[in-house]
Amino acid sequence: MKTRALTWRAATVSAVRWETPSARTLTLEVPDWPGHLPGQHLDLRLTAEDGYSAQRSYSIASDWPGAGPVEITVQRLDDGEVSPYLADIVEAGDRIELRGPIGGWFVWRATQPAPVLLVAGGSGVVPLMSMLRERGRLRARQPFRLIYSVRTPEDAYFADELKRRVRDDPGLDVHFVYTRKAPDGWPTPPGRIDVATLNTHGWPPDFAPDVFVCGPTSFVETAADILVALGHDPRKIRTERFGGA
């Protein structure tokens, strides 16, 4: 993928779909999109009729599409300035401005041979989903484990796709952590990610996995601290805090 100067492009929304009651995925047709690495993000800009504009960053959910569409998934924040418009109002055929891809640190490259541990809190699963999708597209052999913390089963993004990928993508394991309400028959009561969770469902430190943690700041800091305490190399732990309205 060539490095290019970031320029604003007019993208067309080609499809929208609900992931949860408060989050929608937007499929964007972007002229001359240069491709992206799993984990990168883009800037999106909305401009009102009076000229006022607001800009936010959103992680890319899709794998490397080449000339194909780009997907972002937006969580509605009730007091937000941009997310309510994207989550509730934008429809197929609308045009929005964006630039990207952006970021070179929080990315997974298929040339990295190590096993991968993904730890997500809520909407923080979006850039990690790009990594899972790219792995599936390439039929990569690196084993992946995703630990995904959500409040309730209804709050899980990409739930059906994750189930399908566990079935169809060899070497992928997904473990859900429910903090407020677990499904009927779930073996553990609701609770937050803790030492036992990461020790049981993550990779052992001596496997030297590449680790990506994404979610709210407190979630990310807690998970990263636990991983270091368990013996994981801090240099192998990459984190990204999620935010923006």
Side-chain angles (χ1 to χ4, degrees):
M1 183 174 61
K2 295 181 179 180
T3 301
R4 302 186 183 185
L6 290 178
T7 57
W8 289 102
R9 295 180 169 89
T12 301
V13 179
S14 59
V16 298
R17 69 175 183 272
W18 289 102
E19 299 292 349
T20 74
S22 61
R24 275 204 311 181
T25 291
L26 309 181
T27 302
L28 307 170
E29 299 292 341
V30 188
D32 196 30
W33 183 250
H36 59 268
L37 295 172
Q40 288 187 303
H41 63 276
L42 54 79
D43 288 338
L44 186 148
R45 182 170 67 185
L46 300 178
T47 303
E49 292 182 0
D50 62 3
Y52 174 77
S53 66
Q55 179 180 320
R56 296 291 185 273
S57 295
Y58 291 100
S59 291
I60 300 169
S62 49
D63 55 10
W64 185 337
V70 177
E71 290 188 350
I72 61 172
T73 302
V74 179
Q75 172 77 39
R76 182 201 311 116
L77 302 178
D78 291 335
D79 59 349
E81 191 175 34
V82 173
S83 64
Y85 177 79
L86 297 177
D88 295 324
I89 298 175
V90 164
E91 296 295 345
D94 290 347
R95 292 168 67 84
I96 55 179
E97 289 183 292
L98 60 80
R99 64 182 181 185
I102 300 168
W105 165 250
F106 194 82
V107 298
W108 177 72
R109 295 174 171 84
T111 54
Q112 299 169 201
V116 176
L117 173 60
L118 309 174
V119 184
S123 60
V125 75
V126 174
L128 309 185
M129 197 66 191
S130 178
M131 300 178 190
L132 287 175
R133 288 169 168 168
E134 181 71 356
R135 176 187 183 272
R137 185 182 73 84
L138 296 175
R139 299 185 181 275
R141 295 187 177 184
Q142 298 92 326
F144 268 49
R145 291 183 177 179
L146 168 64
I147 300 174
Y148 185 14
S149 174
V150 292
R151 293 179 178 179
T152 72
E154 292 75 25
D155 293 312
Y157 291 27
F158 318 114
D160 291 341
E161 181 178 348
L162 287 171
K163 292 177 184 177
R164 175 178 59 78
R165 287 190 177 277
V166 168
R167 182 192 68 207
D168 297 340
D169 293 359
L172 170 62
D173 179 75
V174 176
H175 177 74
F176 284 93
V177 175
Y178 301 99
T179 62
R180 294 191 179 179
K181 183 184 76 173
D184 292 340
W186 194 253
T188 57
R192 298 184 182 279
I193 280 182
D194 56 16
V195 173
T197 306
L198 292 171
N199 192 43
T200 301
H201 300 285
W203 295 108
D206 56 2
F207 280 34
D210 292 323
V211 182
F212 298 88
V213 185
C214 187
T217 297
S218 60
F219 173 89
V220 169
E221 291 178 349
T222 297
D225 287 346
I226 291 173
L227 289 165
V228 172
L230 288 172
H232 287 270
D233 184 349
R235 295 170 297 180
K236 300 271 286 182
I237 301 173
R238 302 192 179 199
T239 63
E240 184 169 277
R241 279 79 170 166
F242 233 62

